[in-house]
Amino acid sequence: MAWEGMDRRKFPRVMYPCMVKVISSDATLGPILAHTENIGMGGLCVTLKNEIKLFTPVDLEVDLLDIDEHIKPKGKVVWNVRRKAIEEVKPMFYDLGIEFTEISKQDHDRLFKNLQMLIDRGTQLSKPYI
């Protein structure tokens, strides 16, 4: 769902649909495999069929689509929005914003390198989401 207000993010996000495994502390959900909508140095947005409550801690496994191992930051859900049934793309899904709370220096440096390469190539920065 596009948002027309001011983007207050510290870190811009790049539209980059990489694979991500979300492991919620809510044991009833189990691991969820999805694609990112966008990603930045501070976190990512992912679209899921199930809601994960605000401030729920999550473990992530993100495939940056390069030849190295997946990065494995920890995060927490900082916003979630249920899509409306009238939306054409993925109606009744949830858009979740996940902020990175813990990321190793090695994973941080790799993420920075990949995002910088995308920005240098002119990959579109994402529009802000609420």
Side-chain angles (χ1 to χ4, degrees):
M1 173 187 341
W3 182 62
E4 300 301 326
M6 182 177 73
D7 187 359
R8 298 179 303 205
R9 289 191 186 121
K10 284 186 203 178
F11 308 103
R13 296 204 182 160
V14 176
M15 295 176 74
Y16 187 47
C18 45
M19 292 292 297
V20 62
K21 185 190 303 184
V22 180
I23 304 164
S24 168
S25 63
D26 178 356
T28 61
L29 292 177
I32 302 166
L33 190 59
H35 286 92
T36 59
E37 294 284 320
N38 57 58
I39 188 168
M41 292 304 299
L44 54 83
C45 173
V46 64
T47 301
L48 304 176
K49 289 183 183 180
N50 303 88
E51 177 182 25
I52 298 178
K53 301 289 184 195
L54 279 177
F55 310 117
T56 300
V58 293
D59 290 325
L60 301 167
E61 189 172 317
V62 184
D63 182 355
L64 294 175
L65 306 176
D66 57 11
I67 59 172
D68 292 326
E69 293 290 317
H70 300 170
I71 65 170
K72 296 180 180 178
K74 294 184 182 294
K76 71 177 174 182
V77 176
V78 292
W79 57 263
N80 62 32
V81 177
R82 185 174 183 183
R83 292 182 177 216
K84 296 180 180 144
I86 58 172
E87 291 192 37
E88 293 178 25
V89 179
K90 298 180 183 174
M92 305 307 285
F93 280 54
Y94 294 86
D95 288 324
L96 273 74
I98 299 174
E99 177 183 338
F100 298 145
T101 56
E102 232 180 274
I103 185 168
S104 72
K105 174 146 177 45
Q106 181 181 354
D107 285 353
H108 179 274
D109 292 349
R110 248 185 74 219
L111 178 60
F112 180 82
K113 179 182 165 190
N114 282 324
L115 292 178
Q116 192 60 54
M117 181 179 60
L118 290 168
I119 291 168
D120 290 347
R121 272 199 260 160
T123 300
Q124 183 178 354
L125 291 176
S126 71
K127 294 181 181 178
Y129 287 83
I130 188 168

